[in-house]
Structures are given as structure tokens and as C-alpha cells.
Amino acid sequence: MPDYDVLFVGAGHNALVCAAYLAKAGYKVGMLERRPIVGGAVVTEEHVPGFKFDLGGSTHILIHHTPIIQELDLAQYGLEYIDLDPLFFAPFPDGQSITIWKDVDKTCESIAQVSLADADAYRRFIATWQKMAEGMVESFTHTPTPLNFARYLALGGGATKNWEQRLSDILNSYGQVLEHYFSSPQMKALIGWMAAQSGPPPTEPLSAPFALWHPMYHVSGAKRPRGGSGMLTQALAKAVQAHRGEIYTSAPVTRILIENGRAVGAETENGNRFTAKAVVSTAHIHTTMRLLPDDAVPRKTRDLINRTRIGNGFGMIARYAMRELPDYTACPAAQAGSPGPQHRALQFICPSLAYLERAYADYLAGRPSSEPGLIAMTFSAVDPTLAPEGQHTLFLWGQYYPYKLTSGESWDDIGQQVAEQMLRKLAEYAPNVTDAVIGQLVETPVYLERTLGLLQGNVMHLEMSVNQMFMFRPALSLSNYRGPVPGLYLTGASTHPGGGIMGAAGRNTATALLHDLSRRKWMFWKR
């Protein structure tokens, strides 16, 4: 008899979501995780004494568009969310600022301080694209078949209303769409910078949906697990174990076992073998392929996967232990370093779309952006468990940063220098930050690959371009979460809907497995 009904290669958040659903349904689940802690890129660790740093994703938005938290009853396993409102705060070099609140009316009041015309345009933008954004979210929580694409995006997304104009916008770049809707560079930059978080620059064709999704921020808001981002994956692990699932950490898988053309288990670095009726890989699709024997996968399928684009990284993170919070010139705190509404928000440093395009041009040339777009995150302002009393954390995400440098330099040599440059850029808006640093962790593209298995530093696994999304992720023949050999299933950021803390891929894979496992059981009894 196999050791498990389902064996997981990796224990990232999508794998844990999938395993929790299967274990809850009564299946015997085993998980093999390379690192000493579960969670993949959704983990929280202490790298400066007394300060809790996330290593990967920090802000939880997408998962709250799914029923995962409620269906798996994760509050029972210690998961507590803190609402972040306002959502986004964008200071600008001229001393102005815009704040995006969950409430649209309150947001428009802030926009009106910069542009009355754009306050009205924003309200129209939200109303126009709300239905399509809802359809997009719904499509993420289902297998990306042509039928589901039509049901949720075309028909359910309201594309039939004013379809000529809508189609024209959807087929555009998000930069072109924002130029059409808004007049002030500040509003274009704010929405454009959030759209750029998936990777594409403002000029990329067919990238408009990354901006047209924006209305959903006013639906879910943004949240933060108390105790750090990794509290989500710790709760998921407890849910798996509560239903008798078994998790092995520090157990890197070296190969997926194949017998009679079917995936039947996995072998770890120390030679231990685990067998199962089905195997799920949550690793990067290219890593998964390396774990399979060459002759197990049809050449045509292997060629298709080899042609998928990982890209040349695109971002890096500098995490700081701080004596005080950023004191923004555009929105000074009542008392220097004390929490204000701006510190609860994601803080955007990106003054214009042209600024973002210049950062991307540096990246294309194979060099770190001389003036990067930044997101500053100060979650200790709402969660004092992250830092000693009176002190704070500051996480800086920056774009764009290539994995491969044309200069021939090593990220190990220049990472510290680039992180300091990121902090200096923030200091142009909040001068106090440079003298407030206690300690730091620099996560370059190479660090992201080594530590979190994010090949070439791409936090999305594969580039999030339209020909690598929906039914094309990771390939047309693999988009239903069933792998290139029988008995092997896929989940994680390499599959639909891609990167980000959502868990939809894990839930969708669980649906496929529950269907197939119950069918196999029925076929067995029929015989």
C-alpha cells in the first residue's frame, strides 16, 4: 500500500491550501518541504533580534477574494487578520499626496486635493470596470477552460456592454488606458505602479487588465496577519496536521518516482522514499521538470515547458529594523516617527509613468534601476508584535532589478550598495529614515532564488504576460493542474492564476484531485 493518498513536493501556501482541503476530505496527506519551515515565499522569520521579517509576500489582498479562510476555518488555528485602511499612500516630490481608502468617496476626497477632474474620473473608472474586475476574480477561482473564461470574464464580466470600447481598452497597455482616463501624472502613476506589481511595464501590450482590476481593492481592502505574513502558512500547516496530515521539513526532494509511466512518490536528499497514489508539485514548473526522468515526459511537452519565460527577475526587497517610522514631508506625523494613517497603508514612491518606464529601461539594459519605484511597508504601525516596543519594521520592495547583470558584477557584491540606494530614494520623501536603521536583511534576486526557490528571482515564477496566463499557464496542455505524467499534479505560482498570496491555485488543484481520486475509487469498486 502507498504511504499516502497524496504526497506534496514543497509546502508553499498553495500546497498547504490544497493539502488542507484533501486532509479535511479524509485523504491521507504527506508533505516534503526543502526548508526548515513551511510556507515557501509566505514565511516570517527573525533576522534581526526582536524584529520579525517576512521573506516573501507581505500584504494579503487576493486571498480575501476567495472562500479559503472560511472554508478551512483558519481562525481556529490561530490566524487573525488586521485591516489596513487606508490601502495606499502616494507622496509626490511637489509635497502633494494621494491616499486610497477602501471607501471610494473618501478616496475621491483625497484625489480632489490634487485634481478635481481626476476625482470624478476615478469614480467613473471604478464604476466602469467593477463588473469586469469581479469576473476576473471569479475566473481565478476556477480551472481556466475556454468555457469558464467566457462565463466569468466575457459574460459575467460585463464585456457585452459597450463591448467595442471595452475591448479596445482591454487590448491596450495599462499606460495607454490610464492616459485615457486620467489627466494628472499623480493618478496615472499611482494606479500604474500598483499594476506594475505583476511585472509588466506601462507600455506592454495587452497589460491593461492589471490596472482594470483596481476596483477590487475597494471590495476586499488589504489585510495583514497578526504576527507576520507567515502566520497564514502556520495556520494552514496546523489545519493539515489537525486532519492527520504529515509534514516533513528540511526534506528536499531530489526526484519524483515514476513506475509504469505514472508518478508514485518522491525521494529526498537523504535517500528516504515516500509513495502515494498521487503526487503534487508546488515547485517552480522548471524545477518540477528537473525532478522527473528525461524519458518520463513526452518531448513535445518538455519543449513547451522549456519555452516558458521565467524572465530576468524584476524586483528585490530590503527589510529594515528601525528606530522610528518614515516621517513623510508630504504628510508629516503629528509627532516625528509616530504612526499616522499613511503608515497603515502601502507607501508608493513612483511620481510618474515616465519614471517607471525609465526604471524599466535600466532593467532591460541589465543594470539596477538608478531611480527605482518603491513600495514601503511599515506593518509594525498596526502590529506591535513585529518589533520591540517603540521600534518598527520597514520593508522596501523595489523595481526593476535584473537577475543577470550586464556589468558582470555579482549581486553578492553589490546587493548592499543597491539596498542603500533604495533607502536613499525613500529618504527624498521621508528624510529621517537614513539615520533610523538598526539592522537589515537584503533580498536580492539571487537571494530570492537561493532561499525561496524563485528561479532567477521572479516572484511570479513565470512572467505574467497575457500569453502565459489563464489557459496558457504554464502551458495549454497543463492548465487543468494535471501534470505532464499521469498521477502528477501541479499547483503554485507556475499555474493559473499565477503569483501573489491568493491560494486559488491550491484550491483549484484540490478540486481536480478530489474529482480524480473519487473517480478512481468508483472505478475500483466497479471492477
Side-chain angles (χ1 to χ4, degrees):
M1 292 292 292
D3 299 318
Y4 299 101
D5 292 315
V6 184
L7 180 68
F8 286 79
V9 177
H13 84 281
N14 277 294
L16 288 161
V17 166
C18 185
Y21 277 107
L22 293 169
K24 189 176 179 181
Y27 290 98
K28 188 178 181 183
V29 167
M31 307 190 80
L32 304 173
E33 168 55 41
R34 176 178 64 93
R35 299 191 71 234
I37 182 174
V38 300
V42 185
V43 291
T44 302
E45 299 176 355
E46 191 171 296
H47 285 261
V48 175
F51 294 84
K52 295 178 183 177
F53 289 172
D54 303 327
L55 290 198
S58 288
T59 309
H60 293 214
I61 297 173
L62 296 170
I63 195 167
H64 298 290
H65 290 289
T66 78
I68 290 169
I69 305 297
Q70 293 74 31
E71 287 179 348
L72 296 178
D73 195 15
L74 295 184
Q76 175 185 340
Y77 302 105
L79 181 62
E80 178 188 353
Y81 272 106
I82 303 168
D83 282 313
L84 304 178
D85 199 18
L87 311 177
F88 314 131
F89 166 73
F92 297 99
D94 61 1
Q96 294 182 304
S97 66
I98 295 175
T99 302
I100 303 293
W101 300 80
K102 188 175 180 183
D103 181 79
V104 174
D105 291 335
K106 199 169 182 180
T107 297
C108 290
E109 289 175 10
S110 176
I111 297 171
Q113 300 302 308
V114 172
S115 168
L116 282 171
D118 277 351
D120 292 336
Y122 187 81
R123 202 181 295 277
R124 289 195 303 273
F125 180 80
I126 298 299
T128 300
W129 294 105
Q130 179 83 40
K131 192 70 175 175
M132 195 211 77
E134 290 173 356
M136 195 184 305
V137 169
E138 189 64 28
S139 75
F140 290 167
T141 60
H142 296 83
T143 301
T145 62
L147 178 61
N148 284 339
F149 188 85
R151 178 185 298 161
Y152 301 115
L153 274 175
L155 301 177
T160 54
K161 184 178 180 181
N162 301 325
W163 67 270
E164 290 175 311
Q165 180 58 52
R166 286 173 181 262
L167 185 60
S168 174
D169 284 343
I170 290 168
L171 297 178
N172 257 324
S173 69
Y174 66 80
Q176 288 172 308
V177 168
L178 296 175
E179 290 286 355
H180 168 73
Y181 270 92
F182 301 102
S183 58
S184 70
Q186 292 96 330
M187 274 307 299
K188 296 171 192 175
L190 193 158
I191 300 178
W193 180 217
M194 198 60 197
Q197 297 310 297
S198 293
T203 53
E204 179 159 318
L206 304 174
S207 62
F210 291 115
L212 302 179
W213 147 276
H214 190 88
M216 298 312 293
Y217 297 124
H218 293 288
V219 176
S220 67
K223 300 179 191 293
R224 173 76 186 166
R226 189 178 300 278
S229 189
M231 293 304 292
L232 168 64
T233 47
Q234 292 300 307
L236 284 165
K238 290 174 184 175
V240 171
Q241 293 166 328
H243 292 94
R244 297 187 295 178
E246 297 176 350
I247 301 174
Y248 302 87
T249 55
S250 300
V253 170
T254 53
R255 64 183 182 125
I256 294 170
L257 303 175
I258 305 293
E259 287 184 7
N260 299 319
R262 185 177 185 85
V264 296
E267 183 176 311
T268 61
E269 194 173 66
N270 62 7
N272 288 335
R273 287 187 165 207
F274 300 83
T275 58
K277 297 174 185 175
V279 178
V280 181
S281 177
T282 187
H284 194 292
I285 184 63
H286 287 217
T287 301
T288 300
M289 295 302 291
R290 289 199 290 268
L291 296 176
L292 292 166
D294 287 340
D295 59 358
V297 181
R299 174 52 57 187
K300 182 179 178 181
T301 303
R302 192 175 285 276
D303 288 344
L304 274 174
I305 294 171
N306 287 339
R307 285 201 295 269
T308 57
R309 299 186 313 281
I310 300 174
N312 191 24
F314 72 83
M316 65 173 277
I317 317 157
R319 304 192 188 270
Y320 294 96
M322 302 288 285
R323 294 186 183 88
E324 59 187 22
L325 292 163
D327 193 15
Y328 289 98
T329 305
C331 185
Q335 180 180 346
S338 63
Q342 66 272 27
H343 298 119
R344 297 197 295 271
L346 302 187
Q347 300 136 51
F348 290 3
I349 305 300
C350 181
S352 68
L353 289 179
Y355 178 97
L356 190 55
E357 288 165 2
R358 289 194 297 272
Y360 191 74
D362 282 342
Y363 161 82
L364 287 180
R367 57 179 180 261
S369 296
S370 60
E371 292 193 293
L374 298 176
I375 293 183
M377 295 162 274
T378 50
F379 299 117
S380 57
V382 296
D383 182 3
T385 69
L386 301 179
E389 186 176 357
Q391 297 177 332
H392 290 279
T393 58
L394 166 66
F395 304 157
L396 274 184
W397 165 260
Q399 290 173 224
Y400 288 87
Y401 295 105
Y403 172 84
K404 297 175 184 174
L405 301 165
T406 53
S407 65
E409 295 173 296
S410 162
W411 272 112
D412 291 331
D413 294 331
I414 71 167
Q416 177 63 39
Q417 171 190 335
V418 173
E420 290 170 1
Q421 181 190 35
M422 292 168 68
L423 192 67
R424 285 196 301 272
K425 174 55 64 176
L426 180 64
E428 293 177 16
Y429 298 78
N432 69 314
V433 296
T434 50
D435 294 328
V437 174
I438 297 170
Q440 66 179 338
L441 170 68
V442 178
E443 298 183 78
T444 68
V446 169
Y447 179 99
L448 293 172
E449 180 179 70
R450 289 175 183 160
T451 307
L452 301 179
L454 300 169
L455 299 187
Q456 297 191 188
N458 190 341
V459 297
M460 300 293 177
H461 281 203
L462 303 172
E463 287 185 340
M464 296 281 283
S465 51
V466 70
N467 63 345
Q468 292 197 148
M469 293 184 66
F470 298 103
M471 65 275 293
F472 301 109
R473 194 172 189 91
L476 190 59
S477 59
L478 303 175
S479 61
N480 62 359
Y481 305 100
R482 296 168 178 88
V485 297
L488 177 64
Y489 294 76
L490 306 172
T491 197
S494 294
T495 64
H496 173 74
I501 303 172
M502 189 174 194
R507 186 173 180 268
N508 293 346
T509 306
T511 299
L513 269 158
L514 289 169
H515 173 273
D516 292 356
L517 289 171
S518 62
R519 185 173 182 275
R520 286 187 66 196
K521 190 182 296 184
W522 180 80
M523 292 296 289
F524 173 81
W525 287 112
K526 186 179 178 183
R527 288 199 300 269

PDB file of all heavy atoms in Angstrom, residues 181-204:
ATOM      1  N   TYR A 181      -7.911  57.809 -19.186  1.00  0.00           N
ATOM      2  CA  TYR A 181      -8.857  58.087 -18.102  1.00  0.00           C
ATOM      3  C   TYR A 181      -8.477  59.300 -17.258  1.00  0.00           C
ATOM      4  O   TYR A 181      -9.355  60.021 -16.785  1.00  0.00           O
ATOM      5  CB  TYR A 181      -8.986  56.863 -17.188  1.00  0.00           C
ATOM      6  CG  TYR A 181     -10.072  55.910 -17.614  1.00  0.00           C
ATOM      7  CD1 TYR A 181      -9.792  54.846 -18.458  1.00  0.00           C
ATOM      8  CD2 TYR A 181     -11.390  56.080 -17.191  1.00  0.00           C
ATOM      9  CE1 TYR A 181     -10.786  53.977 -18.873  1.00  0.00           C
ATOM     10  CE2 TYR A 181     -12.391  55.215 -17.600  1.00  0.00           C
ATOM     11  CZ  TYR A 181     -12.091  54.162 -18.443  1.00  0.00           C
ATOM     12  OH  TYR A 181     -13.077  53.303 -18.847  1.00  0.00           O
ATOM     13  N   PHE A 182      -7.188  59.514 -17.027  1.00  0.00           N
ATOM     14  CA  PHE A 182      -6.768  60.498 -16.026  1.00  0.00           C
ATOM     15  C   PHE A 182      -5.905  61.597 -16.630  1.00  0.00           C
ATOM     16  O   PHE A 182      -5.207  61.383 -17.631  1.00  0.00           O
ATOM     17  CB  PHE A 182      -6.031  59.800 -14.883  1.00  0.00           C
ATOM     18  CG  PHE A 182      -6.863  58.751 -14.193  1.00  0.00           C
ATOM     19  CD1 PHE A 182      -6.670  57.399 -14.460  1.00  0.00           C
ATOM     20  CD2 PHE A 182      -7.860  59.119 -13.306  1.00  0.00           C
ATOM     21  CE1 PHE A 182      -7.454  56.431 -13.840  1.00  0.00           C
ATOM     22  CE2 PHE A 182      -8.648  58.158 -12.683  1.00  0.00           C
ATOM     23  CZ  PHE A 182      -8.450  56.801 -12.960  1.00  0.00           C
ATOM     24  N   SER A 183      -5.934  62.759 -16.006  1.00  0.00           N
ATOM     25  CA  SER A 183      -5.175  63.906 -16.512  1.00  0.00           C
ATOM     26  C   SER A 183      -3.910  64.169 -15.705  1.00  0.00           C
ATOM     27  O   SER A 183      -2.901  64.603 -16.257  1.00  0.00           O
ATOM     28  CB  SER A 183      -6.057  65.159 -16.510  1.00  0.00           C
ATOM     29  OG  SER A 183      -6.555  65.432 -15.197  1.00  0.00           O
ATOM     30  N   SER A 184      -3.936  63.918 -14.406  1.00  0.00           N
ATOM     31  CA  SER A 184      -2.774  64.248 -13.576  1.00  0.00           C
ATOM     32  C   SER A 184      -1.745  63.118 -13.613  1.00  0.00           C
ATOM     33  O   SER A 184      -2.103  61.934 -13.591  1.00  0.00           O
ATOM     34  CB  SER A 184      -3.200  64.499 -12.125  1.00  0.00           C
ATOM     35  OG  SER A 184      -3.613  63.294 -11.513  1.00  0.00           O
ATOM     36  N   PRO A 185      -0.460  63.452 -13.666  1.00  0.00           N
ATOM     37  CA  PRO A 185       0.574  62.398 -13.617  1.00  0.00           C
ATOM     38  C   PRO A 185       0.526  61.616 -12.319  1.00  0.00           C
ATOM     39  O   PRO A 185       0.904  60.439 -12.278  1.00  0.00           O
ATOM     40  CB  PRO A 185       1.888  63.181 -13.762  1.00  0.00           C
ATOM     41  CG  PRO A 185       1.557  64.593 -13.393  1.00  0.00           C
ATOM     42  CD  PRO A 185       0.127  64.807 -13.773  1.00  0.00           C
ATOM     43  N   GLN A 186       0.029  62.252 -11.255  1.00  0.00           N
ATOM     44  CA  GLN A 186      -0.007  61.559  -9.960  1.00  0.00           C
ATOM     45  C   GLN A 186      -0.963  60.361  -9.984  1.00  0.00           C
ATOM     46  O   GLN A 186      -0.625  59.270  -9.508  1.00  0.00           O
ATOM     47  CB  GLN A 186      -0.432  62.540  -8.857  1.00  0.00           C
ATOM     48  CG  GLN A 186       0.595  63.617  -8.561  1.00  0.00           C
ATOM     49  CD  GLN A 186       0.323  64.906  -9.308  1.00  0.00           C
ATOM     50  OE1 GLN A 186      -0.234  64.867 -10.412  1.00  0.00           O
ATOM     51  NE2 GLN A 186       0.698  66.029  -8.718  1.00  0.00           N
ATOM     52  N   MET A 187      -2.165  60.557 -10.546  1.00  0.00           N
ATOM     53  CA  MET A 187      -3.122  59.454 -10.573  1.00  0.00           C
ATOM     54  C   MET A 187      -2.671  58.348 -11.520  1.00  0.00           C
ATOM     55  O   MET A 187      -2.827  57.163 -11.225  1.00  0.00           O
ATOM     56  CB  MET A 187      -4.512  59.956 -10.998  1.00  0.00           C
ATOM     57  CG  MET A 187      -5.352  60.483  -9.855  1.00  0.00           C
ATOM     58  SD  MET A 187      -5.509  59.317  -8.471  1.00  0.00           S
ATOM     59  CE  MET A 187      -6.320  57.935  -9.252  1.00  0.00           C
ATOM     60  N   LYS A 188      -2.115  58.727 -12.647  1.00  0.00           N
ATOM     61  CA  LYS A 188      -1.608  57.721 -13.584  1.00  0.00           C
ATOM     62  C   LYS A 188      -0.515  56.885 -12.916  1.00  0.00           C
ATOM     63  O   LYS A 188      -0.478  55.660 -13.054  1.00  0.00           O
ATOM     64  CB  LYS A 188      -1.060  58.403 -14.840  1.00  0.00           C
ATOM     65  CG  LYS A 188      -2.089  59.161 -15.654  1.00  0.00           C
ATOM     66  CD  LYS A 188      -1.393  59.979 -16.745  1.00  0.00           C
ATOM     67  CE  LYS A 188      -2.342  60.966 -17.393  1.00  0.00           C
ATOM     68  NZ  LYS A 188      -1.645  61.842 -18.367  1.00  0.00           N
ATOM     69  N   ALA A 189       0.359  57.569 -12.194  1.00  0.00           N
ATOM     70  CA  ALA A 189       1.472  56.872 -11.540  1.00  0.00           C
ATOM     71  C   ALA A 189       0.986  55.951 -10.434  1.00  0.00           C
ATOM     72  O   ALA A 189       1.469  54.820 -10.284  1.00  0.00           O
ATOM     73  CB  ALA A 189       2.460  57.892 -10.975  1.00  0.00           C
ATOM     74  N   LEU A 190       0.016  56.416  -9.650  1.00  0.00           N
ATOM     75  CA  LEU A 190      -0.451  55.627  -8.512  1.00  0.00           C
ATOM     76  C   LEU A 190      -1.059  54.298  -8.981  1.00  0.00           C
ATOM     77  O   LEU A 190      -0.674  53.226  -8.511  1.00  0.00           O
ATOM     78  CB  LEU A 190      -1.464  56.434  -7.708  1.00  0.00           C
ATOM     79  CG  LEU A 190      -1.844  55.914  -6.323  1.00  0.00           C
ATOM     80  CD1 LEU A 190      -2.409  57.052  -5.475  1.00  0.00           C
ATOM     81  CD2 LEU A 190      -2.848  54.777  -6.378  1.00  0.00           C
ATOM     82  N   ILE A 191      -1.998  54.373  -9.917  1.00  0.00           N
ATOM     83  CA  ILE A 191      -2.632  53.134 -10.389  1.00  0.00           C
ATOM     84  C   ILE A 191      -1.649  52.318 -11.218  1.00  0.00           C
ATOM     85  O   ILE A 191      -1.603  51.085 -11.127  1.00  0.00           O
ATOM     86  CB  ILE A 191      -3.911  53.452 -11.186  1.00  0.00           C
ATOM     87  CG1 ILE A 191      -4.916  54.195 -10.304  1.00  0.00           C
ATOM     88  CG2 ILE A 191      -4.540  52.167 -11.725  1.00  0.00           C
ATOM     89  CD1 ILE A 191      -6.197  54.588 -11.011  1.00  0.00           C
ATOM     90  N   GLY A 192      -0.826  53.006 -12.004  1.00  0.00           N
ATOM     91  CA  GLY A 192       0.150  52.304 -12.818  1.00  0.00           C
ATOM     92  C   GLY A 192       1.176  51.548 -11.998  1.00  0.00           C
ATOM     93  O   GLY A 192       1.563  50.427 -12.331  1.00  0.00           O
ATOM     94  N   TRP A 193       1.617  52.133 -10.896  1.00  0.00           N
ATOM     95  CA  TRP A 193       2.619  51.469 -10.055  1.00  0.00           C
ATOM     96  C   TRP A 193       2.033  50.215  -9.414  1.00  0.00           C
ATOM     97  O   TRP A 193       2.699  49.193  -9.302  1.00  0.00           O
ATOM     98  CB  TRP A 193       3.129  52.451  -9.018  1.00  0.00           C
ATOM     99  CG  TRP A 193       4.173  51.956  -8.048  1.00  0.00           C
ATOM    100  CD1 TRP A 193       4.256  52.304  -6.737  1.00  0.00           C
ATOM    101  CD2 TRP A 193       5.272  51.073  -8.284  1.00  0.00           C
ATOM    102  NE1 TRP A 193       5.342  51.690  -6.142  1.00  0.00           N
ATOM    103  CE2 TRP A 193       5.981  50.919  -7.079  1.00  0.00           C
ATOM    104  CE3 TRP A 193       5.726  50.375  -9.406  1.00  0.00           C
ATOM    105  CZ2 TRP A 193       7.112  50.112  -6.942  1.00  0.00           C
ATOM    106  CZ3 TRP A 193       6.856  49.563  -9.294  1.00  0.00           C
ATOM    107  CH2 TRP A 193       7.540  49.446  -8.071  1.00  0.00           C
ATOM    108  N   MET A 194       0.770  50.260  -9.023  1.00  0.00           N
ATOM    109  CA  MET A 194       0.155  49.050  -8.480  1.00  0.00           C
ATOM    110  C   MET A 194      -0.009  47.998  -9.572  1.00  0.00           C
ATOM    111  O   MET A 194       0.193  46.804  -9.329  1.00  0.00           O
ATOM    112  CB  MET A 194      -1.198  49.387  -7.845  1.00  0.00           C
ATOM    113  CG  MET A 194      -1.706  48.308  -6.895  1.00  0.00           C
ATOM    114  SD  MET A 194      -0.559  48.028  -5.518  1.00  0.00           S
ATOM    115  CE  MET A 194      -1.131  46.437  -4.912  1.00  0.00           C
ATOM    116  N   ALA A 195      -0.353  48.422 -10.792  1.00  0.00           N
ATOM    117  CA  ALA A 195      -0.465  47.476 -11.902  1.00  0.00           C
ATOM    118  C   ALA A 195       0.879  46.825 -12.208  1.00  0.00           C
ATOM    119  O   ALA A 195       0.940  45.650 -12.596  1.00  0.00           O
ATOM    120  CB  ALA A 195      -0.992  48.197 -13.140  1.00  0.00           C
ATOM    121  N   ALA A 196       1.958  47.566 -12.023  1.00  0.00           N
ATOM    122  CA  ALA A 196       3.299  47.065 -12.335  1.00  0.00           C
ATOM    123  C   ALA A 196       3.769  45.989 -11.376  1.00  0.00           C
ATOM    124  O   ALA A 196       4.798  45.343 -11.625  1.00  0.00           O
ATOM    125  CB  ALA A 196       4.303  48.222 -12.322  1.00  0.00           C
ATOM    126  N   GLN A 197       3.041  45.764 -10.284  1.00  0.00           N
ATOM    127  CA  GLN A 197       3.478  44.768  -9.301  1.00  0.00           C
ATOM    128  C   GLN A 197       3.506  43.346  -9.858  1.00  0.00           C
ATOM    129  O   GLN A 197       4.163  42.473  -9.300  1.00  0.00           O
ATOM    130  CB  GLN A 197       2.590  44.828  -8.050  1.00  0.00           C
ATOM    131  CG  GLN A 197       2.654  46.129  -7.300  1.00  0.00           C
ATOM    132  CD  GLN A 197       4.076  46.562  -7.027  1.00  0.00           C
ATOM    133  OE1 GLN A 197       4.816  45.890  -6.321  1.00  0.00           O
ATOM    134  NE2 GLN A 197       4.487  47.678  -7.611  1.00  0.00           N
ATOM    135  N   SER A 198       2.789  43.107 -10.941  1.00  0.00           N
ATOM    136  CA  SER A 198       2.859  41.793 -11.579  1.00  0.00           C
ATOM    137  C   SER A 198       4.026  41.683 -12.540  1.00  0.00           C
ATOM    138  O   SER A 198       4.275  40.603 -13.075  1.00  0.00           O
ATOM    139  CB  SER A 198       1.544  41.495 -12.314  1.00  0.00           C
ATOM    140  OG  SER A 198       0.484  41.348 -11.390  1.00  0.00           O
ATOM    141  N   GLY A 199       4.713  42.801 -12.811  1.00  0.00           N
ATOM    142  CA  GLY A 199       5.903  42.761 -13.640  1.00  0.00           C
ATOM    143  C   GLY A 199       5.897  43.620 -14.870  1.00  0.00           C
ATOM    144  O   GLY A 199       6.864  44.334 -15.131  1.00  0.00           O
ATOM    145  N   PRO A 200       4.822  43.596 -15.697  1.00  0.00           N
ATOM    146  CA  PRO A 200       4.878  44.326 -16.970  1.00  0.00           C
ATOM    147  C   PRO A 200       5.044  45.831 -16.790  1.00  0.00           C
ATOM    148  O   PRO A 200       4.497  46.409 -15.851  1.00  0.00           O
ATOM    149  CB  PRO A 200       3.515  44.010 -17.613  1.00  0.00           C
ATOM    150  CG  PRO A 200       3.069  42.747 -16.971  1.00  0.00           C
ATOM    151  CD  PRO A 200       3.587  42.805 -15.572  1.00  0.00           C
ATOM    152  N   PRO A 201       5.771  46.479 -17.708  1.00  0.00           N
ATOM    153  CA  PRO A 201       5.899  47.942 -17.684  1.00  0.00           C
ATOM    154  C   PRO A 201       4.645  48.584 -18.260  1.00  0.00           C
ATOM    155  O   PRO A 201       3.806  47.899 -18.861  1.00  0.00           O
ATOM    156  CB  PRO A 201       7.113  48.180 -18.588  1.00  0.00           C
ATOM    157  CG  PRO A 201       7.032  47.067 -19.589  1.00  0.00           C
ATOM    158  CD  PRO A 201       6.527  45.868 -18.820  1.00  0.00           C
ATOM    159  N   PRO A 202       4.508  49.904 -18.143  1.00  0.00           N
ATOM    160  CA  PRO A 202       3.292  50.582 -18.620  1.00  0.00           C
ATOM    161  C   PRO A 202       3.035  50.439 -20.110  1.00  0.00           C
ATOM    162  O   PRO A 202       1.899  50.568 -20.558  1.00  0.00           O
ATOM    163  CB  PRO A 202       3.545  52.054 -18.251  1.00  0.00           C
ATOM    164  CG  PRO A 202       4.542  52.009 -17.155  1.00  0.00           C
ATOM    165  CD  PRO A 202       5.407  50.827 -17.424  1.00  0.00           C
ATOM    166  N   THR A 203       4.080  50.178 -20.894  1.00  0.00           N
ATOM    167  CA  THR A 203       3.930  50.133 -22.348  1.00  0.00           C
ATOM    168  C   THR A 203       3.652  48.732 -22.887  1.00  0.00           C
ATOM    169  O   THR A 203       3.471  48.577 -24.094  1.00  0.00           O
ATOM    170  CB  THR A 203       5.200  50.675 -23.016  1.00  0.00           C
ATOM    171  OG1 THR A 203       6.338  49.969 -22.489  1.00  0.00           O
ATOM    172  CG2 THR A 203       5.367  52.155 -22.753  1.00  0.00           C
ATOM    173  N   GLU A 204       3.618  47.707 -22.042  1.00  0.00           N
ATOM    174  CA  GLU A 204       3.469  46.342 -22.570  1.00  0.00           C
ATOM    175  C   GLU A 204       2.070  46.120 -23.138  1.00  0.00           C
ATOM    176  O   GLU A 204       1.066  46.348 -22.455  1.00  0.00           O
ATOM    177  CB  GLU A 204       3.749  45.299 -21.483  1.00  0.00           C
ATOM    178  CG  GLU A 204       3.586  43.873 -22.007  1.00  0.00           C
ATOM    179  CD  GLU A 204       4.304  42.844 -21.173  1.00  0.00           C
ATOM    180  OE1 GLU A 204       5.447  43.103 -20.755  1.00  0.00           O
ATOM    181  OE2 GLU A 204       3.735  41.785 -20.938  1.00  0.00           O
TER     182      GLU A 204
END
